[in-house]
Amino acid sequence: MSNPIHAPSIFESNNARTLRPNQVARTFIPPAKFSVLTRRRNTVIVGPRGSGKTTMLKMLQQPALESWEHTSAEEYRQKIDYSTAFIAADLSWGAQLEALGDGRLDADTHRRVGSAAFTAHVLRALLNGMMHRVGQSENHAAHPIRRVSITNDQEGGIVRELASAWSLKPSIASLSALRRSLSHRLVSIREFASREAVLGDSGRANRVAAEPSLHLHFLQAASQGIEVFNDAVGEPDGKWALLFDELEIAPVWIREELIRSLRGTDDNIMLKLALSPYSFEAGLLESTLGAAVGNDFDQISLWYADKNEGYAFCEQLWYGMLEERGLPALQPKDVLGQSYFDTAPVEWAATGTAYGPGSRLGKLFIGMAEKDSTFHSHLEAKGIDPHALHLVAPGDRAAEIRKIAPLVAVRDYYRAWASESKIRVGHKRSRKQATLYAGASSLFAITEGNPRWFIGIVDVLLDWMGKDKDRIPGTVQADELVKSAQRFSALLRTIPLPAELRTGKSERWLLSILNSIGTYFHRKVVLDDFVPEPPGSFTVDANTPDSVIQLLNQAINSGAIVYLPDDGAQVLLASLKGKTFRLSYLLAPIHKTPIRRGVSVSLSSILRNTRPDTQHQLPLGDD
Amino acid sequence: MTSSYPRLRVLPITKNDLGAEYDLVVVALGFECRARFCAESLSLNSRKRVALVFPDRQVHSFEENKAILVDRGYDLVHVEDIEVATIVAGLIRDIELSEERPFRRVALDVSSLSRVRMAGLFSGISSSGIEDSVAVDFIYAIAEFTPPTEVYTPNAHVGPVSPRFAGWSEEPEQPPALILGLGYEQDRALGAVEHLQPGSVWTFVPTSSIPEYSPALRTANSILLEAIPPNRLLSYVVERPFDCFVELESIVHGILGQNMPVLIPFGPKIFAINCLLVAALHTPHVAVWRVSPGVAEEPVNRFASGEISCIRAVFTPPIFEA
């Protein structure tokens, strides 16, 4: 991989935000929904952390497209006939905006200085886009697109007009100097806010009125800039897409403004907005005054309710990662092995069936029927003889066998584990248990098609493999699955409580709620009487406490729970009430649950039937 | 050897350099037994002695601390976190006005201070209006080893330790560079990295004369330590904070211009002081964050080991840019 002396940590290398566009492009595998994002329309792209929102937006940037070598790259280069400006965001920047004025400004002034800073940020991004167009930002592009040539005089003309419109005074008439003047503006805005914090209210209205930078509107200013540039390069109808990343971090008034703007903006501007699934402002989209999906904007969800939907994308990522490392294009199943829940071709080869009495699955059913009277009763009721599964005719009973086989596998595995008397210590126990989830299809499902999770896990596994091994043992995979869950647990424990919950005492915090749900599902699958369709998802019913719902808002945005929409058109949620979710499969090895959706039960009933968990961390150690 | 800057100079000192006549000594009055250690064991002569009283969790050694501090001439000042800066600035101005001798020297016992209050003290000193330099001796009593608590309390705050230390970036498109001081709370630092999603990560690992801390810290941070490249794993000796300051400032200086440094000081509070000093030195381009359950955190009584760590900073107003 990288130079070992300067190798980035996994945190850096897997984070698109830290990568330049051409770096993102080097390994980008376009998911099916990327084509929707590239359309000449407003787009709202929705997904939890790590789902690829930033990556996809960055890929719309000119430097990324110009360096992209994927087989479909040229098709997209032809298709994307508009310019772009990428407006980044992160928690640190959000905190800086929040802190302007040291917390001593009135709400209106604070909003003005925050908006002014945001406007400067947007205009800097726009200038970056312009500089890409005129070839000022990259020395070499493998596949230059949409380049325009401008003379020094033309550049000077653009700069003078924009400087006038944006109240800037660049040192020289160049785009880079104009961009620097916006950096200086950011300094000035902070200084203004700091002075106002000291000066107080008296005379503030006049001081605010006298500061031109506080009265620019980011969309209007951007529109002015685009018009000036387009005219200068002879593209009066040239289209620009403003790419707003991580909008949940931006101040609320900016989010609201952008969402309202989906309804209609300047003809030359498209908006591409990246949001987390739960967003209070989603209500604006739903209201009659808001924009309509399909009419005013496209909507893209970057998660997979069904595990099979993400497999193809994971496979592409897999091959891409192998190629990046110079490894041969080995099939996932050849390297990671068959999942415990699948039937391997070899199991069919000899007899033409994977369910003979001597087969793995046959033995599983026979053994379970002998040990578990409730399972035995179920088979009896269905007219299924465990010793003769292979003789069951195609139809409902065969479908029944295929449906319950993965459940039987989990039930058997953990019942056998629980009965062992050997003592296992700490994480070693969890890692051994997690080998059940090794194997290509299970591993892919567990990553939820989330690029960051997938790359984070597979990167380490491929490091282990190197160039002299062609198979990764289940124990190695299990080890990494548990570590990934531990990293995820650390993240979930870090997310601060919503402000409304900080003063109260509660027995249930985010991880304890997730643990309660996981424990409940595990009990239903493994410990209670066998049922062919155990619960595996939950509905946030009317009896769910508001405090729990507030915590679940965090869970969905972090990816800990996955929304299962009834209506495929709705992906942004203003409220979780009445909606159905499942736990992320990343948590399946920890909660010892099957990698399947399961029927839905009300969340309040789950919480009533489970004790509050006092550990407040994922059960990574001994039971 | 000193590290110089027009408005802030940081100097190495030892325990022997403490105890000269101060103009103000500030300690914390809280539930930790070690909160009184410096007041009891060091000769901190001063015209004014103040104990900033925590309004919450007045348990464990609180009453005993209170009695001892009062007995030793400390004025008890009941103050909320948000008031610390104002109170301290006022104290300094009052002392300056009340005596012929200029206000020059402060001793701050940060052993039991919260990071919020440390930031408040910095702000208070900078906004006091004092026209001349003020030398501040930061004193930290290293605690005996206490096993990390197994009680989890959710975080109430993940963000800048105060608005003054939020930092400010002129290139917001640059992702932050995270510099962590490690502590021994399980995966606390790992969670901060996962939450902030920085462009780069540096870690400072404390070592001290208390040997039990190191294995506990390694266990609590095993996944993080495994993932950090060796050239970004730095260690520091708690008893030698000036060396740590020099290295920390060097790292930050190297990062500036490319990324926005965000410092999160878990672990020994003397590292938090170093973070605040570096941030003050490079204000407003460096942020200092805290990750904390706040007042809901279970109070754990900590006892002084007898070892002291100290560092001196000379502030020349204006300390922060206007």
Side-chain angles (χ1 to χ4, degrees), chain A residues 27 111 171 176 181 185 230 265 300 328 351 404 407 413 419 562 570 591 595:
Chain A
T27 55
R111 177 174 172 153
S171 54
S176 61
S181 67
R185 168 153 296 166
N230 282 354
T265 53
I300 297 172
T351 61
I404 66 176
L407 293 175
Y413 189 92
S419 69
V562 178
Q570 183 188 26
H591 292 133
I595 309 173

Side-chain angles (χ1 to χ4, degrees), chain A residues 90-97 99 190, chain B residues 160 162-179 196-202 251-264 279 282-289:
Chain A
D90 61 68
L91 286 171
S92 169
W93 170 234
Q96 293 167 44
L97 291 181
R190 184 195 168 271
Chain B
S162 76
R164 187 65 75 89
F165 286 97
W168 187 250
S169 177
E170 291 142 37
E171 296 185 14
E173 64 275 10
Q174 294 292 342
L178 183 57
I179 302 172
L196 198 63
Q197 298 181 56
S200 54
V201 181
W202 303 76
I251 298 292
V252 167
H253 185 79
I255 290 170
L256 283 169
Q258 300 166 43
N259 296 97
M260 164 86 185
V262 175
L263 314 181
I264 304 185
H282 293 285
T283 190
H285 306 292
V286 178
V288 181
W289 278 36

Side-chain angles (χ1 to χ4, degrees), chain A residues 43-45 57 242 244 247 258-259 262 271-275:
Chain A
T43 315
V44 174
I45 178 170
L57 286 182
L242 303 182
F244 289 93
L247 268 179
L258 284 169
I259 288 177
L262 289 172
L271 299 176
K272 309 267 183 199
L273 313 181
L275 284 166

Side-chain angles (χ1 to χ4, degrees), chain A residues 7 9 12 15 17-18 49 91 96 102 124 183 186-187 190 452 483 486-487 493-494 496-497 502 509 616, chain B residues 152 154-156 158 164 166 168-170 173 187 191 194-195 197-201 223 226-227 229 232 284:
Chain A
S9 72
E12 301 158 35
N15 190 347
R17 189 187 303 146
T18 73
R49 288 167 52 101
L91 286 171
Q96 293 167 44
D102 295 346
R124 274 181 53 88
S183 297
L186 285 168
V187 174
R190 184 195 168 271
R452 187 175 304 156
K483 281 186 188 171
Q486 191 170 346
R487 282 197 292 270
R493 283 157 62 101
T494 300
L497 282 177
R502 287 175 202 165
W509 305 116
H616 303 294
Chain B
Y152 166 73
N155 287 320
V158 179
R164 187 65 75 89
W168 187 250
S169 177
E170 291 142 37
E173 64 275 10
D187 290 334
E194 292 281 344
H195 184 64
Q197 298 181 56
S200 54
V201 181
I223 288 185
E226 203 175 278
R232 302 245 182 109

Side-chain angles (χ1 to χ4, degrees), chain A residues 371-482:
Chain A
K371 288 178 291 195
D372 181 356
S373 60
T374 63
F375 179 67
H376 182 268
S377 300
H378 173 73
L379 291 181
E380 226 173 32
K382 290 290 183 179
I384 297 173
D385 177 1
H387 296 272
L389 296 177
H390 59 298
L391 300 177
V392 172
D396 289 350
R397 270 184 293 172
E400 173 75 10
I401 294 168
R402 283 195 300 275
K403 182 182 77 179
I404 66 176
L407 293 175
V408 177
V410 173
R411 189 177 177 87
D412 176 70
Y413 189 92
Y414 288 113
R415 282 187 164 214
W417 187 270
S419 69
E420 283 182 11
S421 59
K422 290 177 190 173
I423 296 172
R424 309 221 182 259
V425 177
H427 291 191
K428 288 183 183 173
R429 179 173 183 150
S430 286
R431 289 189 175 118
K432 191 71 188 276
Q433 290 182 354
T435 52
L436 176 69
Y437 300 89
S441 62
S442 292
L443 197 78
F444 284 14
I446 282 168
T447 64
E448 298 276 6
N450 180 308
R452 187 175 304 156
W453 291 356
F454 183 91
I455 293 169
I457 291 172
V458 173
D459 226 13
V460 175
L461 295 180
L462 293 181
D463 273 345
W464 183 91
M465 196 171 91
K467 290 188 178 175
D468 57 356
K469 301 185 189 72
D470 57 5
R471 189 84 186 211
I472 300 173
T475 50
V476 174
Q477 298 176 45
D479 194 66
E480 194 50 37
L481 287 175
V482 170

Side-chain angles (χ1 to χ4, degrees), chain A residues 503-521:
Chain A
T503 52
K505 281 279 181 192
S506 173
E507 290 181 308
R508 292 193 188 274
W509 305 116
L510 176 55
L511 270 176
S512 64
I513 293 170
L514 299 176
N515 286 344
S516 292
I517 298 170
T519 300
Y520 179 87
F521 291 154

